[in-house]
Structures are given as structure tokens and as C-alpha cells.
Amino acid sequence: MPLLDILEYPDPRLLTVAQPVDVVDDDLRALIDDMAETMYAAPGVGLAATQVNVHVRLVIVDVSETRDQLQVFINPEILERDGEQSCEEGCLSVPGIYDTVTRAARIKVRALGRDGVPFEIEAEEMLAVCLQHEFDHLEGKVFVDYLSRLKQSRIRTRLEKRARRR
Amino acid sequence: MALPSELRPDQRGIARADALALHLQYGAAAQAVARVLGGESFEGARSAAFNTLADPRARSGARSFAFATLRAYGAAPALLERLLHRPITDQVLLALLQVALTDLRANPQHAHTLVDQAVHAAMGLGRGAARGLVNAVLRNYLRHRETLEAAIADIPAVQYRHPDWWIRRVRAAWPDDWQAVLRVADLPPPLTIRVNLRHGSRDAYQARLAALGLGSRVLGDAALAVEPAVPVDQLPGFAQGWCSVQDAGAQRAAALLGVRPGERVLDACAAPGGKTTHLLELGATSLVALERDPLRAARVSENLDRVGLPAQVIVGDATQPATWWDGRRFDAILADVPCTASGVVRRHPDIKWLRQPGDPGRFAREQQAILRALWSVLAPGGRMLYVTCSIFPEENRERIDAFMAQRPEAVRLPLDDIPGGQLLPTADHDGFFYALIGKPA
């Protein structure tokens, strides 16, 4: 199965707002499989379709230590947010950069699963952080956007330099 | 999202997980099973199918998946019959679905991972076009699992995990034991070794194993089950012939023939040489090992080298003594004849896929020819032990009865603790048939 290319900040395509998924079919599941392989190989704990330049509302995560608990969220909505937590985050689209972001401590999410069947879950800790991080991608948002202007411009310069060297 | 470095999963761990990835093991298992579906033996199929796996643990995993699939026999095909709209002609794809279904049935709690890995495996096998099919079939199984399992539960090939004709024959031959016999074929066999009593006693060897932290259980005069099993190179003195790998049932053969020093002994159909070396360890001094297949004869020579005892290895056909016999008769003959191997299915689950209903009869003709030919080179006053690793009477009792009817001078000698000569398979040993026939002086 092919590994997909991951868009890197500040690629403007990361700013795209993703479209809802109409049908959960085998084509979409094939994309999920490819994304899962890409995420595990990276390695990452979450990946949004936006990051592989497919602009549909699809997110996959796996925050398990055993790396065998893939979760799929299609057309996700955050129904409830509660509390606050700060966590150091990184992003496969912003390689090598880690910084602290404050997000809701607990969230309630509704989405469709891999089968197209709707489900609801409540997430906290790492899973809550990861889901909020990935759902942001679907809105064209990257975790860097939460940082100060100064940090943003430093990160941008650093990644642009690295992109030119390649 | 990526984890900060201090939380990131160990990189070496990831690399190891890649080499051990389940989908690679599924893929290799499917290739081996496909070759068995195509009529090849698993031993032959495995080396070709598994050489893509670099890590020995991945090879062992693939072997377990293939074995589980071959052992289960009827279940996956019965499920696929209900899950597929039209039959699949691609044997590799078919085998992959069987491997994945077998694993899903055993581990439904990991359904998501297993389906995902099966789809990966389809890609790895160049069956990318079928990944939707693999996904759909496996998910349909999960969706309708209870209904499907209920629908196939009473099918004999599912319940007893052997072909219908095989079940019928075992049932007819062993009306009291047939279910136990069929069930034993599903058990993982022990690693049984034969201690070479020339190098020390069985109990001394057991103590040597214990000193290395290896557990063992006594199964016979020289037989120990090493539990849990270890690679043979970890067995003390294996390369020097202090022990050999041999099932406890097979270890009965050399003692039943009972060789004495100075006797001229023939081991017909000798490969791979397990019984040949045993005869030598028990004191045979003049032994001819006959084997029809030159490659397999080389394995007999290797085993003799390992044990360090001499025998004359001859490549020749037991049914044609004129082509290899020097004219000197033998005092004792071990006739371990080719057979269906229906008594060793737990070690070779491919057998129940490969054998056809006509096979016992086909083997019977060859067995009869070997008995007749070897009788002609047996010295008056000598004895011949007929051995099969089968549980079908056509190859066993019926062969001996037919032979005795043709050779009225032959005498059937008693085997005290194996009444009738049939050792049915149990958890501790494989299934064998023994008959000792004497030639009057």
C-alpha cells in the first residue's frame, strides 16, 4: 500500500476547509488504509485527510502504546467541551517543532465510523488533545496558529529554509 | 499529530514492529496455504513462501497462521461459500481470506486490526484490486458472525475439521475412538526427542535439560517431550548425536524389531533416517539403509554423520531388489513403508487437504508390493517389522491379512502391549501401525 505524501507547513493547501463526506464507500476506506499506513510509518498518533491533500472531513488517530487501536472519525462534530489542559504537541505537517497548546480537557464527539455508522464518544487526556488537533486541520488550522506571532514567523522561516535545502 | 520527542514511541520498537507486521505474516501464510491448495506439501511450500520474512519470529508467526488455517480445515471454506457471491479462482486471494477468517474467528476482539492487516496483506501480495473484496468479505463476516457460525456449526468438516470421506473412514474403523482420533489431529504436537542411550541414560539427559532451565516429560524408554519446545540447536549435544527428534510412537519401531549385534539388518524406505540411527544406537552392527529418493538418501547420510554410527546407504527401490540387492539375506528388516501419513496429521495438517479418497487404496498396492519383495530377501528364521504412520485399516490390518493369506508360511508374532498393532494417536504420540512377521527357519 502506498505511503502518502504529507503536506508541510506553511503549504497553503493546509489552509483548505475540508468538505463533508457524502458516502462512506470502499474508495474512502482505501484512503483510510493508506492514511493509517502513512501515520504509523511517520510515526504519528493522528492524521487528518487535509494533511495528505485530500480535503474531506476524515481523521484517523491511534494513541495506544501498542499501535493497534486505530480510530476513524468521518464528518466529526464536537458536541461538548469541558475544562482546560495544556499539552506539548507536534504535527506531522510541522516536522521537528513542538510547543505547548491549551485545549479543552474533555470533549464529546459525534462522527461516522469506518462502516459509515454514526457513533458518539467522550474523550479526555491524550485522545482529547489529539482529536482537537486533527479536527482543526479540517478547518484549515494548524497548531502553530495558537502560538505567538514571533514563534509563528520563526517556525515558518525554519521550515522554509529546510524545504529549500531539500 | 506527532508526539513530542520524550513521548514518541521508541524508534527501534517501530522498526521491529514493521519487520514483525501482521500483514507480512498473513501474506506469507497465505502464499504457503495457496501452494497447499494447489497440491504441494507444506514443507515444500513454506521455504518459498517464507523467504520474504527476514525475522525468524515473523516466519514462526506465519507458520502458526498457516497451521491454524490448515488445521481448521472446513470452517473458512464453509464461511466463504456463504460470503462470496461467486467463487474465487485466485488461489492466493482465497488462501488469504481463509487465513484472515481463521484468525478473526479466534480473535474477534482484535477485529479492526485484523481486517486492516488482511487488506494490507492483499496489497503486499499484489492483489490490490481485491482489497475492497477482502475488506467487504471480512466485515460481512463480522456483521453476521453469529448467524454464519450457527449455520456452519453442524457441518462435519467444520465440527471435526477433516474431509468428509476421512471422517467417515475413521468412524467406520474406530467406532469407539473416532472423535478422539480426529480431535488429537488438532493438538499442537510436543517436541519429542529420543535420547541416545549410548551417551548416557534418559534420566541423566533430563537432568542436563533441567540444568539449562528446559522442562521435559518422560514419554518412553528413551523418549522425552521437551516442554516448552525449543530450537533443536539449543538441545545439549544435538549436533553430536546425543539426542534426535522423533515422535514417541515412532520410537517404538526399533525396539519392536529387536536387533542383536552381528545380525544383518535392512532399513527399507529409510529417509530421513530417524529409525535407522535408532537401530544403530540399539546395537545393530551391520545395517543397510535403503532409500529410493537420492535427495532423501542424503538426509539419511547426514543423520548417520551426526550420530557418528556407520551404515551402508543405498539408493534403490524396495519393490525391485534385483536392482540393489547383493544376494545376502537379512536377519531383520524394518519396512517403514510409504503411506497416507494419516496418523501424523497434527504435525502435518496439510495432509488432510492433500489426500484424496483413493489414496489409501493407491498406497495399499505399493505397500503390498514392498511386503512381497522384502519377504524374498528375508533370511529363514528372520523377522520383518511392517510400519506405517497411518490409521486407515486399508494400509494396516488389511495389508497384513492379505499378505498372510498369500504366504501361509509367515507367522504373525505378538506385540504384547500394542494389541492388533494399531497405536492410535494421542496427545503424547502420533498414530502408527506395527506388525511383526516371522519367517520359519
Side-chain angles (χ1 to χ4, degrees), chain A residues 30 45-46 68 88 90 98 134, chain B residues 1-4 8 113 123 131:
Chain A
V45 292
D68 58 359
E88 200 182 0
Y98 298 92
E134 300 308 333
Chain B
M1 182 174 133
L3 287 173
R8 203 171 316 163
T113 310
M123 300 294 295
R131 68 181 175 181

Side-chain angles (χ1 to χ4, degrees), chain A residues 78-90:
Chain A
I78 296 182
L79 304 175
E80 289 173 28
R81 298 165 197 265
D82 184 17
E84 239 186 51
Q85 61 177 330
S86 297
C87 180
E88 200 182 0
E89 293 183 24

Side-chain angles (χ1 to χ4, degrees), chain B residues 26-107:
Chain B
Y26 273 0
Q31 284 177 294
V33 169
R35 282 162 170 258
V36 171
L37 297 180
E40 225 179 292
S41 81
F42 180 76
E43 282 307 311
R46 164 176 86 145
S47 55
F50 288 9
N51 63 11
T52 52
L53 300 174
D55 191 305
R57 287 166 303 167
R59 287 198 292 274
S60 145
R63 184 176 183 277
S64 302
F65 287 126
F67 260 50
T69 306
L70 297 173
R71 283 209 169 105
Y73 189 74
L79 288 172
L80 287 174
E81 206 174 285
R82 287 158 178 78
L83 286 163
L84 292 168
H85 299 298
R86 51 173 177 264
I88 292 180
T89 48
D90 177 350
Q91 300 267 332
V92 172
L93 186 57
L94 186 62
L96 173 63
L97 286 170
Q98 294 194 1
V99 168
L101 273 174
T102 305
D103 200 25
L104 261 186
R105 293 181 84 220
N107 301 294

Side-chain angles (χ1 to χ4, degrees), chain A residues 1 26 29-30 33-34 37 43-47 68 70 88 90-92 98 114-115 126 129-130 133-134, chain B residues 1-9 11 14 23 110 112-113 116 119-120 123-124 131-133 135-136 139 143:
Chain A
M1 211 172 286
D26 284 347
R29 283 185 279 266
D33 291 336
D34 290 348
E37 195 184 7
V45 292
L47 190 66
D68 58 359
L70 187 73
E88 200 182 0
C91 181
L92 298 177
Y98 298 92
R114 189 189 168 100
D115 300 323
M126 175 67 93
V129 172
C130 185
H133 174 118
E134 300 308 333
Chain B
M1 182 174 133
L3 287 173
S5 46
E6 66 269 27
L7 292 175
R8 203 171 316 163
Q11 294 287 335
I14 293 287
H23 65 88
H110 299 313
H112 192 280
T113 310
D116 173 66
V119 172
H120 273 60
M123 300 294 295
R131 68 181 175 181
L133 174 80
N135 188 52
R139 288 196 180 277
R143 221 168 280 141

